[in-house]
Amino acid sequence: MTTELEHLAARLREFAQVREWEQFHTPKNLAMALAGEVGELVAEFQWLTAEESRSPGPDALARMRTELGDVTLYLIRLADVLGVDLMAAAEAKLDDNDRRYDADRYRGSARKAPRTT
């Protein structure tokens, strides 16, 4: 993980330890909490037009920022509990996508590439 992610992971680990919450921070519970927070983020966009979603007002943007923070913290905590390096996982996934989605073939297209594995 990068220094910033490592710092946040350490803060979250300490936050949970001080409150004796590690017993609740199972991968299953963290994944479910992450999904709930993603749902809250999605709800902020639910009835917006595409254009409104690109330029939310200050109140909506503040709520979105809060939900993005929640999603980020749960994702970092889940990765930490599982021992997954988020940056390495993201880099590997981007490398995979780069192989699967040839720029010339997929430029301007939203279609999915077939799975190779």
Side-chain angles (χ1 to χ4, degrees):
M1 278 194 220
T2 64
T3 303
E4 293 86 2
L5 287 179
E6 288 169 348
H7 173 74
L8 277 174
R11 281 191 65 194
L12 284 165
R13 205 176 308 121
E14 180 181 358
F15 183 87
Q17 287 170 348
V18 168
R19 290 158 181 80
E20 297 180 357
W21 286 356
E22 300 104 322
Q23 61 187 318
F24 309 115
H25 285 192
T26 64
K28 176 197 74 79
N29 287 353
L30 290 167
M32 291 174 70
L34 174 60
E37 293 301 336
V38 169
E40 291 179 19
L41 176 61
V42 169
E44 291 298 329
F45 290 93
Q46 186 169 10
W47 302 113
L48 300 180
T49 65
E51 187 55 40
E52 289 169 334
S53 73
R54 289 183 186 98
S55 302
D59 291 342
L61 186 58
R63 291 189 306 271
M64 291 169 184
R65 184 179 295 114
T66 296
E67 297 309 333
L68 284 165
D70 287 339
V71 168
T72 302
L73 292 176
Y74 274 115
L75 181 61
I76 291 170
R77 182 70 178 134
L78 177 58
D80 186 48
V81 167
L82 290 172
V84 171
D85 181 327
L86 271 179
M87 294 307 293
E91 290 283 350
K93 181 61 180 173
L94 187 54
D95 290 343
D96 182 52
N97 286 346
D98 194 37
R99 283 187 295 277
R100 289 180 62 209
Y101 293 97
D102 176 70
D104 291 331
R105 185 170 178 202
Y106 286 92
R107 185 173 287 109
S109 172
R111 73 182 190 276
K112 296 277 289 177
R115 287 257 175 225
T116 56
T117 57

